[in-house]
Amino acid sequence: MFAEERHAEILKTINEEGRISIGDIQRRFSVGLDSARRDLRILEEKGLLKRTHGGAIPLNRIDSYRYMDVKGFADKENPEIYPSYAAVAKKAAEFIKENDIVYLTGASLGFIMLAYLPETFPYTLVVNSVALADELKFWDNVTVYITGGKMRMSSKASMNDALAADFVKNMHFDLNLMTGTGYETDFGFSTDSTETAAFMRTVIQNSRKNVVMVPNQKLGSKGFIKVCDADKFDVLITDWDAVEDELAKIEELGVEFIVAEQESKI
């Protein structure tokens, strides 16, 4: 098969399936790793796709994610979103160590992490979601603190106002597991409101290790309000569909990044 024919098949697969991996290209077309990567680089240079850590995705998918609100989409009913969120959550849970004091986000990722939180040693969780705390009430190995403040009337029942910020102002966290609306190297880490941004800044400032969880849908995106510069985090966790040029920019900032890999389907 000529390279042009292979390129056409690669684009067809991406448009039909929403992605293609390096491994898929190697298996389908019996080419080596370097050839598969070269194919994707050529097609990206032509403006026909966007390379990711593990392969490539369509350009229109990148554009659509810039403007969608992924809150509420991160559940098992949405196979397009859930796998990447779950992979990031699973990897983030590995950072929790015995006797740690941990701030755990009350966003969708916090609820997904319930499936992966350690159960064999003691530690403390501080959460800003009544709904998340309710899920943790029977965990024998976890001490749970809930921030005070005005409860948002939503399914997560979160608290991000000035009272919540005052609650965490006098706390020290060994580990901060946080997510937001977007993470972009120039604009920084961002969220949806000034109150939430102020609350997040307090947690970040009072944490020994800051870990930001950024599924590919949020990487390179900008939320309404900037929380902090991108390099305020020690570690960024993303997934296999993270865009390569964004990862390169993150590396230049000196932020460690971890790419959670997709579970193989048997």
Side-chain angles (χ1 to χ4, degrees), residues 214-231:
V214 189
N216 73 82
Q217 297 88 354
K218 297 182 177 185
L219 189 64
S221 295
K222 300 176 185 179
F224 178 48
I225 301 294
K226 178 176 178 176
V227 177
C228 63
D229 290 338
D231 61 2

Side-chain angles (χ1 to χ4, degrees), residues 122-175:
Y123 55 97
T124 297
L125 290 178
V126 179
V127 299
N128 71 325
S129 164
V130 175
L132 183 56
D134 187 58
E135 295 289 340
L136 291 162
K137 63 186 177 185
F138 294 121
W139 287 53
D140 294 334
N141 66 310
V142 180
T143 300
V144 180
Y145 287 85
I146 311 174
T147 66
K150 181 180 179 181
M151 185 179 74
R152 285 186 175 183
M153 306 305 287
S154 66
S155 59
K156 298 179 181 68
S158 60
M159 293 167 287
N160 303 304
D161 64 358
L163 290 174
D166 283 340
F167 185 91
V168 297
K169 182 171 63 177
N170 297 312
M171 289 182 164
H172 167 77
F173 304 101
D174 296 300
L175 177 64

